[in-house]
Short mmCIF file of all heavy atoms in Angstrom, two decimals:
data_model
loop_
_atom_site.label_atom_id
_atom_site.label_comp_id
_atom_site.label_asym_id
_atom_site.label_seq_id
_atom_site.Cartn_x
_atom_site.Cartn_y
_atom_site.Cartn_z
N SER P 26 143.24 128.07 123.93
CA SER P 26 144.57 127.61 124.40
C SER P 26 145.22 128.52 125.30
O SER P 26 145.81 128.18 126.40
CB SER P 26 145.55 127.26 123.20
OG SER P 26 145.06 126.21 122.43
N LYS P 27 145.14 129.80 125.06
CA LYS P 27 145.68 130.83 125.89
C LYS P 27 144.87 130.81 127.32
O LYS P 27 145.55 131.08 128.40
CB LYS P 27 145.53 132.20 125.25
CG LYS P 27 146.23 133.38 126.03
CD LYS P 27 146.08 134.73 125.20
CE LYS P 27 146.65 135.79 126.04
NZ LYS P 27 146.67 137.04 125.29
N ALA P 28 143.59 130.62 127.31
CA ALA P 28 142.77 130.77 128.55
C ALA P 28 143.12 129.52 129.43
O ALA P 28 143.13 129.63 130.64
CB ALA P 28 141.37 130.79 128.17
N TRP P 29 143.39 128.37 128.79
CA TRP P 29 143.66 127.07 129.61
C TRP P 29 145.14 126.89 129.87
O TRP P 29 145.26 126.02 130.78
CB TRP P 29 143.14 125.92 128.67
CG TRP P 29 141.73 125.82 128.42
CD1 TRP P 29 140.73 126.34 129.28
CD2 TRP P 29 141.02 125.22 127.36
NE1 TRP P 29 139.53 126.02 128.68
CE2 TRP P 29 139.66 125.33 127.55
CE3 TRP P 29 141.49 124.56 126.24
CZ2 TRP P 29 138.74 124.93 126.59
CZ3 TRP P 29 140.66 124.19 125.16
CH2 TRP P 29 139.30 124.26 125.43
N TYR P 30 146.00 127.75 129.38
CA TYR P 30 147.44 127.42 129.48
C TYR P 30 147.93 127.39 130.97
O TYR P 30 148.67 126.37 131.30
CB TYR P 30 148.24 128.51 128.82
CG TYR P 30 149.73 128.37 129.01
CD1 TYR P 30 150.45 127.25 128.63
CD2 TYR P 30 150.33 129.57 129.61
CE1 TYR P 30 151.85 127.25 128.91
CE2 TYR P 30 151.79 129.44 129.90
CZ TYR P 30 152.42 128.27 129.47
OH TYR P 30 153.73 128.20 129.69
N ASP P 31 147.52 128.14 131.87
CA ASP P 31 147.98 128.12 133.17
C ASP P 31 147.43 127.07 134.11
O ASP P 31 148.04 126.56 135.09
CB ASP P 31 147.71 129.51 133.81
CG ASP P 31 148.53 130.57 133.29
OD1 ASP P 31 149.63 130.44 132.72
OD2 ASP P 31 148.06 131.90 133.26
N GLN P 32 146.21 126.56 133.78
CA GLN P 32 145.42 125.61 134.67
C GLN P 32 145.52 124.19 134.14
O GLN P 32 145.36 123.27 134.88
CB GLN P 32 143.99 126.11 134.83
CG GLN P 32 143.94 127.51 135.33
CD GLN P 32 144.40 127.60 136.78
OE1 GLN P 32 144.29 126.66 137.60
NE2 GLN P 32 144.86 128.80 137.15
N TYR P 33 145.69 123.94 132.76
CA TYR P 33 145.53 122.63 132.15
C TYR P 33 146.60 122.31 131.16
O TYR P 33 147.19 123.22 130.53
CB TYR P 33 144.08 122.61 131.57
CG TYR P 33 142.91 122.80 132.42
CD1 TYR P 33 142.33 124.11 132.56
CD2 TYR P 33 142.35 121.81 133.35
CE1 TYR P 33 141.31 124.27 133.45
CE2 TYR P 33 141.37 122.03 134.12
CZ TYR P 33 140.85 123.27 134.31
OH TYR P 33 139.78 123.56 135.23
N ARG P 34 146.71 121.14 130.87
CA ARG P 34 147.49 120.52 129.72
C ARG P 34 146.58 120.33 128.60
O ARG P 34 145.66 119.58 128.68
CB ARG P 34 148.36 119.37 130.23
CG ARG P 34 149.34 119.55 131.24
CD ARG P 34 150.51 120.58 130.83
NE ARG P 34 151.37 119.86 129.85
CZ ARG P 34 152.20 120.61 129.07
NH1 ARG P 34 152.04 121.92 129.02
NH2 ARG P 34 153.04 120.01 128.35
N VAL P 35 146.87 121.01 127.44
CA VAL P 35 146.11 120.87 126.34
C VAL P 35 146.69 120.08 125.25
O VAL P 35 147.82 120.28 124.89
CB VAL P 35 145.73 122.26 125.76
CG1 VAL P 35 144.81 122.07 124.55
CG2 VAL P 35 144.98 123.15 126.70
N ILE P 36 146.18 118.93 124.93
CA ILE P 36 146.64 118.04 123.84
C ILE P 36 145.66 118.28 122.65
O ILE P 36 144.54 118.21 122.66
CB ILE P 36 146.51 116.64 124.30
CG1 ILE P 36 147.35 116.16 125.46
CG2 ILE P 36 146.83 115.66 123.08
CD1 ILE P 36 147.25 114.85 125.93
N ARG P 37 146.45 118.62 121.46
CA ARG P 37 145.71 119.08 120.27
C ARG P 37 145.87 118.00 119.15
O ARG P 37 147.12 117.87 118.67
CB ARG P 37 146.01 120.50 119.95
CG ARG P 37 145.07 121.03 118.98
CD ARG P 37 145.30 122.51 118.76
NE ARG P 37 144.86 123.36 119.81
CZ ARG P 37 143.55 123.65 120.10
NH1 ARG P 37 142.70 123.37 119.30
NH2 ARG P 37 143.25 124.41 121.11
N LEU P 38 145.04 117.15 118.85
CA LEU P 38 145.10 116.25 117.65
C LEU P 38 144.78 116.99 116.36
O LEU P 38 143.59 117.40 116.23
CB LEU P 38 144.18 115.08 117.93
CG LEU P 38 144.13 114.09 116.76
CD1 LEU P 38 145.46 113.37 116.52
CD2 LEU P 38 143.11 112.97 117.07
N ARG P 39 145.71 117.19 115.55
CA ARG P 39 145.54 117.99 114.35
C ARG P 39 145.70 117.23 113.16
O ARG P 39 146.45 116.26 113.00
CB ARG P 39 146.54 119.19 114.27
CG ARG P 39 146.21 120.23 115.44
CD ARG P 39 147.24 121.49 115.35
NE ARG P 39 147.40 122.05 114.04
CZ ARG P 39 146.45 123.03 113.69
NH1 ARG P 39 145.47 123.33 114.44
NH2 ARG P 39 146.60 123.51 112.62
N ASP P 40 144.80 117.52 112.22
CA ASP P 40 144.88 116.86 110.88
C ASP P 40 146.10 117.32 110.13
O ASP P 40 146.43 118.49 110.04
CB ASP P 40 143.59 117.18 109.96
CG ASP P 40 143.42 116.29 108.74
OD1 ASP P 40 144.16 116.49 107.81
OD2 ASP P 40 142.51 115.43 108.75
N ASP P 41 146.81 116.39 109.37
CA ASP P 41 147.98 116.74 108.77
C ASP P 41 147.82 117.57 107.55
O ASP P 41 148.77 118.07 106.92
CB ASP P 41 148.76 115.44 108.36
CG ASP P 41 147.89 114.51 107.55
OD1 ASP P 41 146.87 114.95 107.11
OD2 ASP P 41 148.41 113.36 107.28
N ARG P 42 146.64 117.85 107.10
CA ARG P 42 146.40 118.79 105.95
C ARG P 42 146.22 120.20 106.32
O ARG P 42 145.99 121.02 105.41
CB ARG P 42 145.09 118.19 105.14
CG ARG P 42 145.40 116.92 104.55
CD ARG P 42 144.05 116.31 104.01
NE ARG P 42 143.24 115.84 105.15
CZ ARG P 42 141.98 115.22 105.04
NH1 ARG P 42 141.57 114.91 103.80
NH2 ARG P 42 141.30 114.97 106.08
N LEU P 43 146.04 120.49 107.64
CA LEU P 43 145.81 121.85 108.09
C LEU P 43 147.06 122.66 107.87
O LEU P 43 148.19 122.29 108.03
CB LEU P 43 145.47 121.83 109.65
CG LEU P 43 144.17 121.19 109.93
CD1 LEU P 43 144.03 121.18 111.47
CD2 LEU P 43 142.93 121.91 109.37
N GLN P 44 146.91 123.91 107.36
CA GLN P 44 147.81 124.89 106.99
C GLN P 44 148.15 125.76 108.14
O GLN P 44 149.26 126.40 108.26
CB GLN P 44 147.56 125.66 105.83
CG GLN P 44 147.31 124.90 104.65
CD GLN P 44 148.41 124.15 104.11
OE1 GLN P 44 149.60 124.62 104.06
NE2 GLN P 44 148.22 122.85 103.58
N SER P 45 147.27 125.98 109.07
CA SER P 45 147.48 126.93 110.33
C SER P 45 148.29 126.20 111.26
O SER P 45 148.46 125.09 111.37
CB SER P 45 146.12 127.31 110.82
OG SER P 45 145.33 126.19 111.25
N ASP P 46 148.89 127.19 112.16
CA ASP P 46 149.69 126.61 113.26
C ASP P 46 148.90 126.66 114.52
O ASP P 46 148.14 127.45 114.82
CB ASP P 46 150.96 127.56 113.40
CG ASP P 46 151.83 127.60 112.24
OD1 ASP P 46 152.03 126.62 111.60
OD2 ASP P 46 152.42 128.72 111.91
N ALA P 47 149.40 125.63 115.34
CA ALA P 47 148.69 125.52 116.65
C ALA P 47 149.43 126.45 117.62
O ALA P 47 150.53 126.96 117.45
CB ALA P 47 148.68 124.08 117.13
N SER P 48 148.80 126.66 118.86
CA SER P 48 149.42 127.48 119.85
C SER P 48 150.68 126.77 120.44
O SER P 48 150.74 125.60 120.50
CB SER P 48 148.41 127.57 121.03
OG SER P 48 149.04 128.19 122.22
N PRO P 49 151.75 127.50 120.60
CA PRO P 49 153.10 126.95 121.12
C PRO P 49 152.92 126.26 122.48
O PRO P 49 153.73 125.54 122.97
CB PRO P 49 154.03 128.06 121.12
CG PRO P 49 153.18 129.35 121.11
CD PRO P 49 151.83 129.02 120.53
N HIS P 50 151.83 126.72 123.22
CA HIS P 50 151.66 126.12 124.54
C HIS P 50 150.93 124.68 124.66
O HIS P 50 151.03 124.03 125.56
CB HIS P 50 150.69 127.02 125.43
CG HIS P 50 151.22 128.46 125.41
ND1 HIS P 50 152.38 128.70 125.87
CD2 HIS P 50 150.55 129.68 125.04
CE1 HIS P 50 152.69 130.18 125.77
NE2 HIS P 50 151.45 130.66 125.40
N ASP P 51 150.56 124.29 123.38
CA ASP P 51 149.76 122.95 123.36
C ASP P 51 150.76 121.83 123.08
O ASP P 51 151.77 122.02 122.37
CB ASP P 51 148.70 123.00 122.32
CG ASP P 51 147.60 124.05 122.53
OD1 ASP P 51 147.45 124.46 123.67
OD2 ASP P 51 146.79 124.28 121.65
N ILE P 52 150.30 120.59 123.48
CA ILE P 52 151.06 119.31 123.04
C ILE P 52 150.26 118.93 121.83
O ILE P 52 149.11 118.55 121.81
CB ILE P 52 150.84 118.31 124.18
CG1 ILE P 52 151.43 118.68 125.45
CG2 ILE P 52 151.59 117.03 123.66
CD1 ILE P 52 151.09 117.89 126.65
#
């Protein structure tokens, strides 16, 4: 996510059971 942030829009479909946090730059 950090590598793609400046060049692309990243959409992240996440399972609702995941405990970890996604990057703040992602949709």
Side-chain angles (χ1 to χ4, degrees):
S26 295
K27 186 177 179 180
W29 293 331
Y30 170 61
D31 292 332
Q32 304 291 330
Y33 302 93
R34 294 296 285 161
V35 180
I36 296 173
R37 197 170 283 278
L38 176 65
R39 290 177 58 80
D40 195 287
D41 55 10
R42 294 167 291 183
L43 293 174
Q44 301 296 319
S45 58
D46 295 324
S48 169
H50 306 306
D51 298 343
I52 304 168

